[in-house]
Amino acid sequence: MTSQSSTGRRGQQPAGEVGLRQLLESAQANGAQQPQEWGGDSAPTEPLQVTPTRRATHRAKPGERPAPPTRRPISGPPAQRLNRTVLKRAGLAVGAVLAVTGLAYAVDLVLSSGEVPRGTVVAGVDVGGLDTEAADTKLRAELAPRADRELPLRIGDVQTRLVPAAAGLTVDWDGTWARIGKQPLDPITRLTSFFTTRDVAVASGVDDAALDRQLTALRVHDRPSVEGTIAFDKARPVAVAPVPGRVLDTPAARTDLIDKWITGAALDLPVHPAPLTVRPDAVDQALREVAEPAVRAPIVFAGKGGSAKLDPEQIASVLSFAPDGQGGLAMAVDQNVAVGLLAPQLAPSEIEAKDATFALTGGKPTVVPAVVGDKINWPKTFEQFAALLAAPQERTGQAIYEKVEPKLTTEAAQGLGVVETMGTFTTNGFSGPSGVNIKVVARKVNGAVVKPGDTFSLNDFTGPRGTAEGYVESGIIDHGRPSTAVGGGISQFATTLYNAAYFAGMEDAGHTEHSYYISRYPAAREATVFDGAIDLRFRNNTPHGVFIEAVTTDSEVTVRLWGTKTLNVESVTGEKTKPTEPTTIKLPKGKDCIASEGAPGFTISDTRIITDKRSGREVSRTTRTVKYDPIPVVKCE
């Protein structure tokens, strides 16, 4: 029988297989594991199972050796042994390359120590590969001057400039070098730095207060929105479309300036649209529902014995529209303009209130009765105006009148005790233009009443003294030199009034003498005034009223104070002392030069002695000392 392999039919196996089977069974019995390789193939995933087979019918002859078991080779084929050799050689090559690369990396790291990383560009300045000291010098030379150069700015359509240093912006060198950093250790970064660049932003030093001031100053370029509104073309209302404005976005602009000023390039600063509060539909609504009905017909106010009318164009002139805070438009009426149009038409129907005053009848003062006024109360009258504007047809309202009581009633004037002269004074010697001004101010003051305890002010009572009030240009003394001015000569009236109050025993509430003595006035007992600056004031310190009478002729002015006389007044004038000689001034001939012979200066005093009229007891004694400057000699050459 032919010998079969170990995979032959069951019951037929070579004699050598018996030994192998016994060996495996022995191994299994001892817990041995099957080998991982068998004849060079992968081991099975499970232990080898040996199936018992029948003994072969062939038996060895006596003295014949059993056939050996079949064995597989323990080594692979020749191709596999070749692949292993190639891989070994490739590994050696890769190791060599890595060793060379590592050496190159180490050499590059050592050689670049102390240098700026390759490819580094700071605000457009290339410093990569430079020694740090050289790089710092280059950066400072290039970047530091930029802080003092004007930086162009655009805010919307506005172009302006600022100097970074003035805005508190400089280079923070420590911060910038911190951003530049040291040599990178990453080999990939070091390799790519040979053919790439790295942009580094400059760190800015910021003076917050200076930068905030500059940003605040830039807000002048803000453009507020123009709200939609209603305008009038004569009597025709027209809708005005809104125009959006802009507002500087301060926080964003601050960031942009800090981050980008170093480039020196023009910066577009960010802006916000300025808010609009009026809705477009609200404009159309106000046009249809308010403006157009308001001017559809005239408005009339009926008064006592007359009426006043506003035609549509006049109505339009007093109307305006503004945001109402809720997205719409509110109409407003300018009552002052409306009254200016209506009041003259109804003025004849009004009665002005007049205070009681006094008149001289037979040389004695008598009371002129007060007049109670009857005037239109325009604020109350205009309470009807809004309804009249909206009225479709009947557009007539009633003017509302009310009584106006005078400040000094007839009864109050009768109780003031104005019965006799308290003090009087007269001056003369004025010229034509001065006479005009003295007559104007005398007519104004004549009839004034000063209540007990009140203070009379000449400037307050007369008000402005200009050409509109009837005053003309006349002679004055300006810094010791003769000159002219509108209202010249009023000081003569002031001196006259001052002396009348002086002898009436009135309390001096403030007056100023001339700097230079004028011979027609009593020394140390005279006064000057200047419109809005130098005043004459006296207080009525009696329990009775004071009535001022002021009358003029072509050459003199007299002022009398009427009331109840309880005091006598005496004036004692001292001697002139401490004389001073005048200086000489030479001026070119012309209208600005008025020749003068000059006069010496001196010091003098006046003492006012007041006694009780009834008992003769001295009430007070007051001395006033005045120093007059010399009047310069003026020569016109």
Side-chain angles (χ1 to χ4, degrees), residues 69 188 244 349 430 631:
I188 301 301
S349 69
F430 46 76
I631 300 176

Side-chain angles (χ1 to χ4, degrees), residues 19-77:
L20 176 61
R21 180 170 176 267
Q22 292 174 345
L23 180 60
L24 291 173
E25 289 176 350
S26 175
Q28 288 178 345
N30 294 326
Q33 298 296 321
Q34 219 173 313
Q36 296 301 309
E37 290 190 10
W38 188 263
D41 295 330
S42 297
T45 60
E46 296 181 0
L48 179 63
Q49 301 294 322
V50 178
T51 305
T53 58
R54 290 180 298 173
R55 290 179 179 273
T57 57
H58 172 74
R59 294 180 184 275
K61 297 178 180 181
E64 184 180 3
R65 299 179 64 182
T70 304
R71 299 177 182 272
R72 293 184 181 181
I74 62 174
S75 61

Side-chain angles (χ1 to χ4, degrees), residues 123 146 151 169-170 179 200-206 211 251-265 267 269:
R146 297 185 189 181
L151 178 67
L169 298 172
T170 56
R179 292 182 178 183
V200 176
V202 165
S204 294
V206 182
L211 182 55
R254 195 178 198 279
T255 300
D256 281 358
L257 284 171
I258 292 173
D259 293 343
K260 301 175 183 179
W261 71 269
I262 194 65
T263 65
L267 289 182
L269 296 185

Side-chain angles (χ1 to χ4, degrees), residues 475-565:
I476 62 169
I477 300 296
D478 182 14
H479 294 85
R481 292 165 44 196
S483 185
T484 60
V486 173
I490 300 298
S491 290
Q492 181 159 348
F493 179 82
T495 293
T496 308
L497 176 61
Y498 170 76
N499 276 273
Y502 178 101
F503 288 108
M506 297 289 99
E507 178 184 326
D508 184 5
H511 80 283
T512 302
E513 295 87 356
H514 289 82
S515 298
Y516 309 94
Y517 176 65
I518 300 174
S519 59
R520 64 177 177 269
Y521 303 152
R525 211 179 68 224
E526 44 89 15
T528 185
V529 290
F530 189 82
D531 196 1
I534 303 174
D535 198 7
L536 166 64
R537 297 162 60 87
F538 65 85
R539 177 176 175 270
N540 178 7
N541 55 349
T542 74
H544 308 286
V546 171
F547 163 65
I548 302 176
E549 177 193 8
V551 294
T552 60
T553 67
D554 290 340
S555 60
E556 65 181 22
V557 55
T558 299
V559 176
R560 296 184 184 90
L561 268 59
W562 295 81
T564 298
K565 187 175 178 63

